[in-house]
Amino acid sequence: MSPELIALIAQATGQTLYMVAAAALLGTLIGLPLGVFLATSRRGELLAAPALNAGLGLVVNAARSVPFIILVVAIIPFTRALVGTSIGTTAAIVPLTIAAAPFIARLVETSIRELDAGLIEAARAMGATPWQIVRKVLLPEALPGIVLGLTLAAVSLIGYSAMVGAVGGEGLGDLGIRYGYQRFMPAVMLAVVVVLIVLVQLVQTIGEAIAARLDKRAPRRRR
């Protein structure tokens, strides 16, 4: 493989990392509070607001129901209005974030709902307010599960980032399509696949290591 192609792969890898990192960050900023609210706002729960819970749940389900490649195309006017263009890595962050946020919200909701309800009752008995229970009990206890959920979301975003290459999103997907498919250069396609596999393995390994370190129930290795 020529040095020019190696440089292109390195550049595309950097673009993919930029898209995934930005979308994961923005998706977490939106999805984390949304997931906490969905987990605590049903009738009779800590922050009870059943009507709002049902409405937001419907929106989250609708967003998750749209296939990603259709979402990318459908929101092109919104993407162009927001960042001034619908092509390139920065533009690709918009649909990636919209796809990631509801996914992360459901993962956070699931992590919190898996906690023992007795934790909330114990905190209430000690006089904690609902927001204190969320900040000091629910989030810390659910943190390992949330980290694993964010890891899963990041892995999914790596796959989605390759898909946006089909509509001018740049990155590894774009490189694989332009060189591997359109110019029939299987070596480039293979290199793109290998890099994507390595990225997924790295993200998964790091995420699992962080979650294990945060999990108070996990047995510690003897030093």
Side-chain angles (χ1 to χ4, degrees), residues 85-169:
T85 178
S86 61
I87 297 173
T89 51
T90 300
I93 292 170
V94 177
L96 286 171
T97 301
I98 292 176
F103 185 45
I104 290 173
R106 285 301 187 197
L107 293 172
V108 171
E109 180 189 7
T110 301
S111 297
I112 291 176
R113 288 199 179 281
E114 286 178 346
L115 297 177
D116 186 351
L119 289 171
I120 297 177
E121 297 305 321
R124 274 177 166 164
M126 288 187 288
T129 65
W131 287 111
Q132 285 176 327
I133 294 173
V134 169
R135 287 188 295 108
K136 298 183 178 180
V137 178
L138 296 184
L139 286 177
E141 291 294 327
L143 196 53
I146 292 174
V147 170
L148 286 176
L150 294 178
T151 302
L152 178 61
V155 169
S156 298
L157 281 173
I158 291 173
Y160 286 162
S161 72
M163 257 188 270
V164 296
V167 289

Side-chain angles (χ1 to χ4, degrees), residues 28-60 101-102 104-113 120 130-131 133-135 138-139 142 146:
T28 301
L29 290 176
I30 299 170
L32 180 60
L34 183 57
V36 170
F37 181 76
L38 289 172
T40 58
S41 59
R42 289 182 184 173
R43 191 179 304 279
E45 292 185 335
L46 199 61
L47 304 172
L52 186 56
N53 180 291
L56 286 176
L58 187 63
V59 172
V60 167
I104 290 173
R106 285 301 187 197
L107 293 172
V108 171
E109 180 189 7
T110 301
S111 297
I112 291 176
R113 288 199 179 281
I120 297 177
W131 287 111
I133 294 173
V134 169
R135 287 188 295 108
L138 296 184
L139 286 177
I146 292 174

